[in-house]
Amino acid sequence: MAGDDMVRVAVDQELCIGGGICEMLEPEVFELDNDIVISSVTGDGLLPRARADVVVDRCPSRAIAIVEEEL
Amino acid sequence: MASAATVETPNVTDPSLYLQGIPHDRFARIRATPSLAWHPYENGGFWAVTRHAEVRHVSRNPELFSSAIGHTNLWDLEADALEARRSLIDTDAPDHTRLRRLVAGAFTPKNIRRWEETVRAITGELLDEFVAQGGGDWVDMVAAPLPIQVILTMLGVPTDDADYLVELSNYLVEGTGDAQSIPPDAFGNTTELRLLPFNSPASHALFEYGEGMRQQRQDDLRDDLVSHLVRAESDVERMSRNEYRNMFHLLVFAGNETTRTAISHGALALAANPDEWQRVLDDPSMIESASEEILRWSTPILHMRRTATADTELAGTEIAEGDKVVMWYASANRDEAVFEDPDKFDVGRFDVGRANSDHFAFGGGGPHLCLGAFLARLEVNVLLEEMAKRSICLEQTSEPVRARSNFVHGVLSVGMRPAGGSN
């Protein structure tokens, strides 16, 4: 089904403002560092495309992107 | 500039309009205009952005729509006033990113969850008193004390001063309108009002209070937010003295006034829609969704303004560099293109945990996302949980007194009485 294929996401740490939306939406994939308050991807950063699209779309500083398509 | 406007735009800036509530009918007429509407204001005007999609576009493209030029309120400030008053709100990257990161850690979802028991204890005490008294002024008894006590606890400010800081906040709200009730020299102020946030002498008082806190913590650093700011301020590369005072001012004001507004309108909506509250009582798993609906419904901040950094186009409208562009969250939150039956208060509207809580109570989706968004959510959620636990149904006993402001959707007072309440 469309949106079920897995994609890899990444955070541009220069752009991140530590807004926390990604950690709220996908706590298994994104984690905010407590000291520098910048988001990073934990683990393999894989998400179903539909959910990746949402988190990309909701990041307030447009710091998240889909970087790699998976089969 | 005004070429697109052939039909007269209904006035949505007169502060006295808001004494009767948000002029939703006027916003609906503006939303129905395919282009952007040019709204006259003072000697010029602004583009009124009223639809959800276009508010989002402006909010998420800060390189085109700046927060640092002119002002984020409708009127322009002179350069020295803008510098003196500049806070997190009135900056673009990289200053915005630098300042935001200094405080963002305290407000992440994970760190906000650590305050849940504090919020619950404060809320429970206020509700028990409200019930014991048989009701009263909901703003005085619940909506104002809850968020101010929480933000002061986080800051490390004595909660004994809550009433004073709420009083200052009320004068600041007045300052967003056109009817300041205190003289320019109130609180011993000698600064020109144009150099003070909201042109209010209450800002002088809040600056003084913040400076007092800074001096106290300088010699006695603790594990609180003021100490964190004082540590940052000791390195001017990270934060200047002026940035400290504006940050303190912002945290106290925005940390109490906006959530107070949400809780006030939440009570009004629950009292006016008892069937919706009954749905929540019957199924407490709806509380998070109900909180999101209260946030959409209340829209505590009605608009923010941006200034175009280049010629651009939006909704088929040519925007010139330097034009004011105003995002009306109050309108976008009722946009029929996004929200089905938008004028209905519907506690089941949002599918929480997933992604469709796409209201603009916390801004339009861009980098100026409300710093306290997760704190506000926690406070509203816990309030509803504690009300449900006590089976409190609200009955409105007097008309709300609303703020005379086109910027803050404030409620100054409204009578409420607990009905139900027994097991």
Side-chain angles (χ1 to χ4, degrees), chain B residues 191-202:
Chain B
T191 306
E192 278 181 84
L193 294 185
R194 67 183 188 87
L195 299 176
L196 294 170
F198 307 117
N199 297 338
S200 173

Side-chain angles (χ1 to χ4, degrees), chain A residues 11 13 16 18 22-23 30-33 37-41 64:
Chain A
V11 179
Q13 302 200 328
C16 177
C22 55
E23 195 184 74
F30 297 96
E31 187 172 21
L32 284 169
D33 176 277
V37 205
I38 292 174
S39 176
S40 57
V41 168
I64 300 172

